[in-house]
Amino acid sequence: MTPEEVVGVWRLASYTEVDEDGTTAPGPLGEAPAGLLIYTADGHVAVSMMKTGDTPALETYMGYSGHWRLAGDRMTHRVLVSAHPRMAGTEQLRRVALDGDTLTLRGTAVTPVGGRVPERLLTWRRAKPDDTASWSTAPDHTASDDTAAQQEKETD
């Protein structure tokens, strides 16, 4: 795999935790997280992931940005800013695999969970310009015109 093959926008397909015996379970963002991963040709990376739906999850949003570099099957994200301040200034090492339009990143959690540091497996699919209409997996919370008008009156 070359850096040029990784450059682009990726949509999160799955985010799971893997036990020592290979058993998988939903990751910290629940059963159906949504997310975008962006690798630029000049070495910048941006990751944004969120929980969707109403089921409880350990977290509701994860995100960071910084720089990336690829060496063989090792991807390093050097985190400059993060929704979790403990990640800023760290290097996140991931094993990476590319199979067509599917990118897989495998690494460990930043902090222990239940006394162990779980392995995390993130599967990403290359985003296509024509699939943006289906990107939203969150419920539509757009206020009706009547509700918006009422909220406007309340703030006057």
Side-chain angles (χ1 to χ4, degrees), residues 60-119:
T60 58
Y61 178 81
M62 295 177 159
Y64 63 85
S65 62
H67 299 280
W68 69 278
R69 72 178 176 275
L70 178 66
D73 70 343
R74 302 286 186 211
M75 176 66 76
T76 302
H77 292 175
R78 187 165 36 106
V79 180
L80 298 178
V81 296
S82 174
H84 299 302
R86 67 185 176 275
M87 286 184 70
T90 67
E91 287 196 349
Q92 301 299 309
L93 179 63
R94 308 286 185 246
R95 287 178 309 219
V96 63
L98 180 63
D99 182 12
D101 284 340
T102 301
L103 181 73
T104 305
L105 297 173
R106 187 182 286 258
T108 56
V110 175
T111 55
V113 176
R116 66 179 190 85
V117 180
E119 183 175 43

Side-chain angles (χ1 to χ4, degrees), residues 8-15 33-38 48-49 101-103 122-137:
V9 179
W10 301 84
R11 290 182 56 195
L12 185 62
S14 67
Y15 183 179
L36 290 177
L37 167 62
I38 302 168
S48 293
M49 300 179 293
D101 284 340
T102 301
L103 181 73
L122 291 92
T123 303
W124 302 87
R125 304 263 190 267
R126 189 175 298 278
K128 299 191 179 3
D130 59 346
D131 69 359
T132 57
S134 65
W135 283 22
S136 177
T137 57

